[in-house]
Structure formats: structure tokens, C-alpha cells
Amino acid sequence: MRGMVRGILLTSNLPQLQNLIKRDPAAYKEEFLQQWSHYDSIRQIFQVNPDEQAHHFRELVSFISQVAQCYPKETADFPSHISTLLLDHYGTLSADTRKNLVQNLIMLRNKDVIGSIELLRSLFPLLPRTTSSTLRGFIRKTIVSDIKNANMRSKNHKLNRAVQAMLFGMVERGMDGEVVGDKGKLRAAGPLGALASSGGDDAMWAVLLTKELWRKNIWTDAKPVAIISLGCFHPAMKVQSASIHFFLGSDDEKEDSDDEEEEEVTNVKALHHRREINKKTRSGDKKLQRKLNLAKKKKHGKKNEPYLPNFPAIQLLSDPQTFAEKLYDILNRHDKRFSLDHKILLMQLLSRVMGAHKLCVLSFYTYVIKYLTYHQLRVPAILVALAQSVHNLTPPDALTPVVHKLSQEFVHPGVGSEVVAAGINAIREVCRRQPWSMEDDLLGDLVEYRKSKDKAVTSAARGLLQLYRDINPAMLKRRERGKYASIGLAKGVQPLAFGHTADAAVDIEGLSLLEDHLKKLRSEEANSENDDETDEKAWKNWDVESDSESSSDSDGWIAVDSDDNNSLDISDSEDEQVDSTAIKADHQPNEDEGGVSTLATSKILTPADFAMLNDLRIQATQKALDSGGGSNTKRKLAALQANKKSMHQANQQEEDTFVSEIDILGPRKKAKADYAERIASIEKGREGREKFGSLKGKKKKSVPSSSTNREKVRNKPIMMILSSGTVRNKKKASLREKQQKLRAHITKAKKSYH
């Protein structure tokens, strides 16, 4: 009888039973099986009618999730039950049930009942379907934190490949959708309308998650870049915009939010009204002040800030030429459908890629020439995109019409000085990258603007003049070349023609030092092979296992074998050089080739290799100097150290190769204050004053009175008097007028005397 009462109490009190099971699972297995059968029967009823016994069903799900690790065999199908309910019946479930199921599924992952891949396969489809911002944020945070924890100590390649394949599929799913309207929404009609309409949301969330994992330095290889590069060609405009912003480096929280999470304009009056009604507390005042500061920051936020490019992502594009051609094809095909802001985004990304990889998409210059007018909206951003797309391999024939268009539209007397300065600056930035796009006559006309009275125009013209003094003074008139340029021309110094470079290098000086250093590293690695044999086998087994297990989940990702001895070795850091030299140990330099090293023919030398080569040359030169080297050795050491410093500065200032709108607009005068700024200045000047008006005659005199006009004239500065109308009229008065004024003065004096 006592055992029966005990069983009834335990079955009716699930938290108590849960506590007892965790202490002794074997003793309470029968009670658990009773609850499990009860859960199974209610689950079948719940699938037919989700509203019936929903509260009791949630309690049972929470109970089983807490003790699932104690009975793994009995609860083997429990995670699949939750996942099926969420994915198949998500629309019919209540908000509390959805939240409960998601939380319990995540609990099973935290207890290692299920793996990360199984959890993420269930959570990814929920992101575009949920309407609760709280639940959506919770799911998003869980996904990112789970992937981050899996890659904390070392890269979890198996999980990364599986997740990247899922994200790639989410983006690729809506690529065939038809776009309607001006906002780039996918068509929802037809038998596949639901799939097409959800494809944009799936792709958007895939791009957002990939961007966040990239921003947190969890994924830093080429695969996330490939996912987002595919998003740049997605039919949905919001997916395109988010992907383009990633490459431009202009991500922010507002762009990462979807349409339902767009920031609303804060109603300041409503905040103050609510504060007057509610109870007055210090915490309430602080919250109100924070909201007001945030609203002020949003309202007066900086606009038209120059985009900072995402250099690693742009450099990791697998096929930049095809990528650039597809971007231009989208830009040209949907020119009438896209808004101006979106077209400028595409231009900026296209120009970044063209400038970074030195690509030639000649149709882009024909397309952009129609936007080169001074009255075009956001023309500084268009000029920036134009300048960034030019490089030293761009054909001058394609740029000459662009330079002519800029000079005709921007540089003439019929426009303002700011327009002229912007036009000359844009021409200068184009010619800096391709000097042969300029003609002699046009250059002479533009240089004449250095005599302008406007500071911005003068600065722009002088910059263009100095540019051609440095790179090609022969195009300037003789009196405009300057001293040093004239001396260089007299000595026969000529600029390189288009497509020509300096003399090809026969050998790289000091390359044998780098080769000896790599030999030494290989020998050290060979000596330590026995010590690392166990670890090497473990890594080898892991690699084979991960490749075999992820081959079915790759969904289009092809794993390339890097152990081929005939492949070239490409390394980006000094840490990878040891591994790369071990792989290419069979590539030994041939000592019978006249002393010329063959390392450059068997290995691609990266910037890290050249930096190491420079360090080795500095060490060798320092040793030669210590052993009694002369002045030539000192000069060589100084040159090598200067070269190292310049390489470091070039790496630090890599962003200087890109143009900003400030470079195009040039130095500008202080902008005229608007109405709000003028009122604020006036109110600031009124502080401490009793009443408007001067206090000079009202406070400083015995009898309060204002000063007369005669007193004011007497106290005026002499320079103001000289330019007054009275003095000018006196100077210009004729003899007849002077006589009349003198007679009038005498008559008036006689009357006052009598």
C-alpha cells in the first residue's frame, strides 16, 4: 500500500521524479517508462489536435529532456520527435509550445544527447518561419555560439563543411526565382510559389549567419566568401544588398536585421509623456536618457561615410573575372529596375574587384559614362567607383572618352567651383592609375585652372600638374614642367609605355639564402618526425575520416587533394612554410645550372617569403659588416633596412590605394549653417543676458540712455570710416558742391550765433 502511494506521488510530481532519476536512474526506471508511454500516447493525440492537453505535453517534453541522458536506448527517437513536430507542424503550434520545443532541443545538445549537425539541421529552417523576434534572436545566438564553441580549440572541419553545405543550399535554393516589383521580392504565385517566396528569406538568413561567423573570425577561408559571393547574384534585392555590403566592409546592425526588425523612428514626445505618467524613479530617468541619446545618435548619424573594403574577402574570390562580369551583367540588365542606391552599390563592388585583381571589364566604362553629369544624384560616389576601377593594365583607349566626358561636364565656366574641383580631382585619380588616358591639349587646359581664385579648384589643378611632373613631364608645356622634371628630360628619362614594365629579372638576389633556410627547416623536421609520429597518424586518420563522412554532406563542395607532388605550393604565412617545404621535399635545386637557384621555378614566392628573404639578407649583410665590411656594405645594409620599413608601411597603408569621396570633393569651405544650427548659436549667445539689446548706455551711464549716432560714428575704426558712403561722396564732390555746402554751413552758424 505504501509503495502504491509512493508511485502515485511520483507520477503526479514530475520535478521530484526528475530529481530522483538523476540520482539513481536504475531504481526509478519503471516510473520513467510509465511516463514515457504516457508521453507517447499524448504525442499522437497532440499531432492530431495541438490545442488539446498542450500544457501537459510541454511538461512531459521538459521532463524527458532533463533525464534523456539517463536512458539513452529508450529515448533514442525522442530528438527526432521534437524535430519533426517543429518542422512539420510549426504553423499549427502555439507560441509557448514552439518556444518549449526549441529550448528542449537545445538542452539535448547541451547534454550531448544529439550532435551539432543534427541540432543545426533543425534550427536553420526555423529562422525564416518564426515571427517572434525573441525566439528568432535566441535561435540565431544558439547557432553562432554552437559553431564558435566547436571551433574554439581547433577547427572542426567536419562540422564546418556540413554547415557551409547547408548554407550554400539555402542560398542556391532561390536562385531560379522570378523577381517582381521594384523591391526585388520573389514571385509567390504558381505551384512553387511558396518555395520561391521562402527562398529569399532562407538565403537572407544564410548570408547573415555567414557574415556574422566571418566577423567573429570563426570562418576565415574561401568557402564563406563563396557563399556570400553567390548571394550577390540572388534575385532578391535584400539578399544582394546584404552580400554586397559584406564585400564593401559596410556592415552594421541595421543591415543585418530583416524587414520585420527594421528600426523604427523613436517618438521623443511619447517617451516624455510616458515618463510623466509613470512612477518617478532614478532607473526610469536613466532608461529615458539612454533612449533619447540613442534616438539622437540615429538622427544625427554620419551619412555618406566612405566604405572601407573587406580586403581578405575580395582577395579570396575564386574566379574574380567571372564574378566581375556577372556583376556587370546584372547591373546592365536590371538598370531600369534597380534604384540608384543599389546601382551605386553594384558599381562600388565591381570597381573594388576590378582594382584589387586588375581586371578589365571594358563595358563598365561605356555604362558609367551616362551618369557622369554634374547634376546627377550621388555623383561623388559614382566618380569614386570610376576611379577605383582603373589600374595600370586598363587600356587607355577605353578611358580617353571617359576623361573627355568628365572635362566637358564638370570643368567649364558654367558650373560652380565645387563641381570644377570635383571634376579635376576625378580626372587626376583616373590618370594616377592610367596616365596614358590623358591628351596633351586637354592636360594643358586643365592645368590652367591653377590660377583660379577658388582654393578647391586651385588645389585640384596643382595636384594634376604635380602628378604629370612626376610621371610624364613631356606632356606638359616647357614652362610648367618644373626644375627636376626638366633635368630628368634632359638626361633622357622617359616613362614606360602602356603594357611595358621594367627589365625582367634574371634571378632574385639572395634567393640562395632562402633556399638554405628552407633546407635547414626540412632537416629539423626530419629529425623530429619520430617524436611526432603518433600525432601525425592521428591527424591522418582524422583527415580521412572527416573527408569520408562529409562527402555526402558537402552538397557540391569538392575536396581537393593537396598531397600531389606536382602541384604548386602557395603559402601566405611563415607558419605554413614548414609544412609546404615538407610537402615539396622532392623539389631539390639543381646545382649544375650555373649557380642559379631553381626555387623560384618550383615554388610560388609569397609576400611572406619575400619578407623572410629580406630578413635573411639583412642578417647576412650584418655579419659581413661585423667581419670587417666597408662603406659599400654599410650602404647595402641601410638600403635593406629601408626596404623592410617601406614594405611594412605598404602593408599598414594598403587601404590608401582606394579612393574616398573626400578625395574627389577636395578641400571645401565650411558648409553654411542650417536653421537649427543658427538658432542653437543664437541661443548660446543669449545665455547670461537679461534682455535683448546692448547694455552699454543702460548700465554704464548715470542716466540710462542709448548712444547717439554721432557717438557711434566718433568711435568707429578709421578703416570703416574710409569706406563709408559719406567719405566717398566728399572725395568725389565737385567744386560747386563744396561751395554750396560751405555756404550752407556759414548760414547755419550765423543763425545759431544770433
Side-chain angles (χ1 to χ4, degrees):
M1 186 67 181
R2 186 176 300 174
M4 185 181 299
V5 173
R6 171 179 172 271
I8 295 173
L9 290 175
L10 288 178
T11 54
S12 61
N13 192 352
L14 292 180
Q16 182 182 2
L17 179 60
Q18 169 187 319
N19 187 20
L20 294 173
I21 288 176
K22 288 183 178 179
R23 293 182 178 182
D24 192 359
Y28 296 91
K29 186 174 182 179
E30 293 182 2
E31 287 81 356
F32 170 77
L33 292 177
Q34 182 180 357
Q35 295 296 329
W36 175 261
S37 61
H38 187 39
Y39 152 78
D40 198 20
S41 60
I42 291 182
R43 180 176 61 87
Q44 296 176 3
I45 299 173
F46 184 78
Q47 289 179 348
V48 178
N49 187 7
D51 296 332
E52 186 175 352
Q53 297 184 351
H55 179 70
H56 188 45
F57 178 73
R58 291 196 296 266
E59 290 182 347
L60 286 173
V61 170
S62 301
F63 165 73
I64 296 175
S65 300
Q66 289 284 351
V67 299
Q69 75 276 12
C70 300
Y71 308 102
K73 293 183 179 179
E74 289 78 3
T75 60
D77 298 332
F78 179 67
S80 62
H81 294 168
I82 300 179
S83 179
T84 303
L85 282 173
L86 284 172
L87 298 179
D88 296 345
H89 305 280
Y90 189 85
T92 59
L93 299 177
S94 63
D96 295 335
T97 305
R98 296 172 188 170
K99 183 178 180 180
N100 180 267
L101 294 178
V102 171
Q103 289 176 342
N104 286 290
L105 192 63
I106 295 173
M107 185 191 301
L108 294 176
R109 170 66 189 101
N110 295 334
K111 293 178 178 293
D112 291 331
V113 177
I114 59 175
S116 295
I117 297 178
E118 186 176 355
L119 173 66
L120 297 179
R121 283 176 179 169
S122 302
L123 294 183
F124 274 135
L126 301 181
L127 279 173
R129 298 175 64 182
T130 181
T131 57
S132 172
S133 59
T134 304
L135 182 59
R136 184 166 52 242
F138 177 66
I139 294 174
R140 177 178 178 177
K141 184 178 180 181
T142 301
I143 292 173
V144 174
S145 61
D146 190 74
I147 299 175
K148 180 180 179 180
N149 294 332
N151 292 272
M152 184 70 70
R153 296 184 178 179
S154 61
K155 294 293 183 182
N156 191 337
H157 296 281
K158 179 180 178 181
L159 175 64
N160 292 340
R161 289 170 184 169
V163 175
Q164 288 165 358
M166 286 189 282
L167 295 175
F168 193 86
M170 291 172 67
V171 178
E172 199 174 24
R173 196 174 300 136
M175 293 296 293
D176 297 333
E178 183 180 356
V179 181
V180 294
D182 296 334
K183 295 184 179 180
K185 294 185 178 180
L186 297 184
R187 184 184 295 275
L192 300 178
L195 180 61
S197 61
S198 63
D201 296 334
D202 292 344
M204 188 65 186
W205 278 110
V207 171
L208 293 181
L209 290 172
T210 307
K211 288 164 61 176
E212 188 169 356
L213 292 169
W214 175 276
R215 187 169 56 250
K216 293 180 180 295
N217 292 326
I218 301 173
W219 289 349
T220 55
D221 55 354
K223 287 187 177 180
V225 176
I227 294 173
I228 302 181
S229 64
L230 182 63
C232 294
F233 312 123
H234 198 276
M237 190 177 296
K238 64 177 183 179
V239 181
Q240 270 190 30
S241 179
S243 304
I244 292 171
H245 278 296
F246 167 76
F247 287 104
L248 294 178
S250 57
D251 292 323
D252 53 26
E253 293 300 325
K254 184 177 179 181
E255 290 167 359
D256 288 351
S257 61
D258 57 349
D259 292 339
E260 297 176 357
E261 293 179 334
E262 289 183 354
E263 298 180 357
E264 297 180 356
V265 179
T266 305
N267 193 339
V268 179
K269 292 184 179 180
L271 291 176
H272 284 290
H273 179 68
R274 193 180 303 123
R275 184 67 193 132
E276 293 175 358
I277 297 174
N278 295 340
K279 185 179 179 180
K280 307 298 185 295
T281 58
R282 291 185 178 179
S283 61
D285 293 337
K286 292 180 180 179
K287 291 180 181 178
L288 175 63
Q289 191 61 39
R290 281 198 297 267
K291 291 181 180 179
L292 293 176
N293 294 338
L294 183 60
K296 184 178 180 181
K297 184 178 179 181
K298 292 177 182 177
K299 182 178 179 181
H300 301 286
K302 296 180 180 179
K303 297 180 179 179
N304 297 329
E305 291 183 352
Y307 291 138
L308 296 178
N310 196 339
F311 287 101
I314 293 178
Q315 296 295 336
L316 287 175
L317 287 171
S318 59
D319 190 357
Q321 181 66 41
T322 304
F323 180 80
E325 291 176 354
K326 286 184 178 179
L327 275 181
Y328 172 73
D329 184 55
I330 291 176
L331 180 64
N332 188 33
R333 189 193 316 156
H334 302 292
D335 180 67
K336 295 182 179 179
R337 184 170 66 86
F338 288 155
S339 63
L340 177 63
D341 293 337
H342 193 71
K343 286 188 284 189
I344 290 177
L345 281 179
L346 288 169
M347 291 182 195
Q348 288 175 335
L349 179 56
L350 178 58
S351 64
R352 301 278 191 201
V353 177
M354 291 172 64
H357 293 276
K358 294 188 176 182
L359 308 177
C360 291
V361 184
L362 301 183
S363 303
F364 171 70
Y365 303 108
T366 307
Y367 171 83
V368 80
I369 202 169
K370 64 182 178 182
Y371 292 101
L372 301 181
T373 57
Y374 69 91
H375 52 77
Q376 172 66 47
L377 295 176
R378 296 195 62 188
V379 70
I382 298 174
L383 295 177
V384 167
L386 171 63
Q388 288 172 348
S389 64
V390 181
H391 48 83
N392 59 347
L393 299 181
T394 306
D397 296 341
L399 295 175
T400 301
V402 176
V403 175
H404 276 285
K405 177 75 172 182
L406 288 173
S407 62
Q408 293 170 3
E409 292 289 337
F410 291 86
V411 190
H412 59 84
V415 295
S417 58
E418 294 182 354
V419 177
V420 176
I424 298 178
N425 285 329
I427 293 173
R428 185 194 68 228
E429 293 299 332
V430 171
C431 296
R432 186 189 302 279
R433 292 156 174 77
Q434 181 48 268
W436 296 106
S437 59
M438 175 65 71
E439 295 180 349
D440 298 358
D441 298 338
L442 180 58
L443 178 61
D445 295 339
L446 296 176
V447 166
E448 289 296 325
Y449 276 88
R450 72 185 186 277
K451 301 176 184 178
S452 173
K453 295 181 180 180
D454 188 80
K455 180 180 179 181
V457 177
T458 303
S459 177
R462 287 177 179 175
L464 183 62
L465 175 63
Q466 187 61 41
L467 172 66
Y468 274 90
R469 281 180 176 177
D470 296 336
I471 60 177
N472 193 358
M475 295 182 65
L476 296 170
K477 297 179 182 178
R478 188 165 187 174
R479 65 177 181 273
E480 297 170 349
R481 293 172 183 172
K483 176 182 176 181
Y484 297 103
S486 300
I487 294 175
L489 287 176
K491 292 181 179 179
V493 178
Q494 295 292 335
L496 292 173
F498 170 68
H500 290 254
T501 58
D503 295 335
V506 178
D507 194 13
I508 301 175
E509 184 178 358
L511 189 61
S512 58
L513 296 173
L514 179 61
E515 190 173 358
D516 295 338
H517 179 72
L518 297 179
K519 283 183 180 179
K520 184 178 179 180
L521 292 177
R522 284 197 295 267
S523 62
E524 292 177 356
E525 185 181 359
N527 294 332
S528 61
E529 274 185 354
N530 296 330
D531 299 335
D532 299 337
E533 185 176 358
T534 305
D535 295 335
E536 193 175 17
K537 288 182 179 179
W539 278 104
K540 184 176 181 181
N541 293 335
W542 171 87
D543 193 25
V544 172
E545 181 182 359
S546 63
D547 289 339
S548 62
E549 292 179 0
S550 62
S551 60
S552 60
D553 298 331
S554 61
D555 195 12
W557 293 95
I558 302 174
V560 181
D561 188 7
S562 61
D563 294 336
D564 188 5
N565 292 333
N566 295 326
S567 62
L568 291 177
D569 174 35
I570 302 177
S571 62
D572 290 334
S573 63
E574 296 180 6
D575 298 336
E576 296 176 358
Q577 290 173 359
V578 179
D579 299 334
S580 62
T581 52
I583 293 175
K584 301 195 68 63
D586 59 330
H587 287 148
Q588 300 292 339
N590 189 0
E591 298 179 355
D592 299 333
E593 295 181 5
V596 177
S597 174
T598 60
L599 182 63
T601 61
S602 60
K603 182 180 185 298
I604 296 178
L605 298 180
T606 63
D609 296 327
F610 282 104
M612 178 182 289
L613 175 59
N614 194 58
D615 292 338
L616 294 173
R617 291 180 62 190
I618 290 176
Q619 295 175 7
T621 308
Q622 186 66 43
K623 290 180 181 179
L625 184 62
D626 295 340
S627 60
S631 58
N632 291 333
T633 307
K634 291 182 179 180
R635 286 194 293 268
K636 184 177 180 181
L637 179 62
L640 290 173
Q641 291 175 347
N643 185 27
K644 181 179 179 180
K645 184 177 180 180
S646 64
M647 290 173 61
H648 178 71
Q649 292 177 351
N651 293 332
Q652 294 294 329
Q653 300 176 355
E654 190 177 8
E655 64 273 8
D656 292 343
T657 57
F658 287 86
V659 188
S660 65
E661 292 188 17
I662 299 176
D663 299 329
I664 297 297
L665 297 176
R668 305 181 67 185
K669 297 179 181 179
K670 183 179 179 181
K672 184 179 179 181
D674 56 5
Y675 178 77
E677 293 177 351
R678 292 198 301 271
I679 293 298
S681 178
I682 292 171
E683 292 179 351
K684 184 178 180 181
R686 290 175 179 174
E687 294 177 358
R689 289 203 283 185
E690 298 179 0
K691 191 178 181 181
F692 300 125
S694 175
L695 302 178
K696 183 177 180 182
K698 300 176 183 179
K699 293 289 186 182
K700 297 181 179 180
K701 288 185 177 182
S702 58
V703 180
S705 64
S706 59
S707 59
T708 63
N709 291 337
R710 188 180 296 273
E711 290 176 350
K712 293 175 181 176
V713 172
R714 189 182 303 120
N715 295 327
K716 275 189 176 181
I718 185 63
M719 298 306 297
M720 294 181 66
I721 296 297
L722 292 176
S723 60
S724 65
T726 305
V727 176
R728 287 201 302 267
N729 292 334
K730 285 183 179 181
K731 291 180 180 180
K732 298 178 180 179
S734 63
L735 180 59
R736 177 62 177 168
E737 292 174 347
K738 291 180 181 179
Q739 289 176 350
Q740 290 177 351
K741 187 178 293 186
L742 180 59
R743 289 174 182 173
H745 175 69
I746 294 172
T747 303
K748 186 177 180 181
K750 287 179 180 180
K751 290 180 181 180
S752 62
Y753 178 76
H754 293 293

